[in-house]
């Protein structure tokens, strides 16, 4: 697994690529989106190449592109192939309903 700095860099780069992809889907120029977000076209170019440095800008970009901030980040995480280590749930699948305390399946 990559160290934290590599993972962070991969996520930021994937966020920039995801932003560019959505901008192109919306048939927007870099200048159009930058103007709507309130940043310079140069800054928008840097964001698309290197990834965003500001959460507020990223949120505003997502809003202007018509995608939710969590969806934008999730897509970037998937593109960067990042995974979060979670404790094993054993035989409980994520689609199964967990029983309430004192409730048992037979």
């Amino acid at each position: 697994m990559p160290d934290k700095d590599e993972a962070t860099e991969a996520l930021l780069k994937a966020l920039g690529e995801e932003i560019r992809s959505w901008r192109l889907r919306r048939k927007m120029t870099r200048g159009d989106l930058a103007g709507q977000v309130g940043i310079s076209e140069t800054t928008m170019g840097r964001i698309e190449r290197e990834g965003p440095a500001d959460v507020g800008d990223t949120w505003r970009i997502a809003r202007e592109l018509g995608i939710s901030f969590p969806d934008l980040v999730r897509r970037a995480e998937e593109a960067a192939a990042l995974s979060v280590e979670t404790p094993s749930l054993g035989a409980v699948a994520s689609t199964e309903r967990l029983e309430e305390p004192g409730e048992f399946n037979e």
Side-chain angles (χ1 to χ4, degrees):
M1 176 181 270
D3 67 28
K4 185 176 181 181
D5 290 339
E6 289 174 6
T8 300
E9 291 299 318
L11 176 60
L12 289 173
K13 186 165 177 57
L15 267 170
E17 291 168 357
E18 196 66 30
I19 288 167
R20 181 177 188 275
S21 174
W22 279 95
R23 177 180 61 77
L24 293 173
R25 286 181 202 162
R26 300 292 191 245
K27 299 184 183 340
M28 298 173 77
T29 67
R30 191 178 287 155
D32 291 339
L33 181 56
Q36 291 174 357
V37 173
I39 59 177
S40 71
E41 188 172 346
T42 301
T43 298
M44 182 60 67
R46 183 193 48 74
I47 289 170
E48 289 184 352
R49 284 187 314 277
E50 302 170 15
D54 182 87
V55 174
D57 288 345
T58 309
W59 182 84
R60 286 188 297 278
I61 290 167
R63 183 185 62 199
E64 292 301 327
L65 291 172
I67 183 171
S68 73
F69 179 81
D71 283 344
L72 180 67
V73 173
R74 179 185 51 79
R75 288 170 181 270
E77 283 179 325
E78 290 170 359
L82 296 178
S83 63
V84 177
E85 291 185 31
T86 56
S88 173
L89 295 177
V92 178
S94 62
T95 57
E96 292 180 305
R97 183 179 70 84
L98 298 176
E99 289 77 34
E100 295 296 322
E103 183 180 341
F104 299 99
N105 275 341
E106 294 186 33

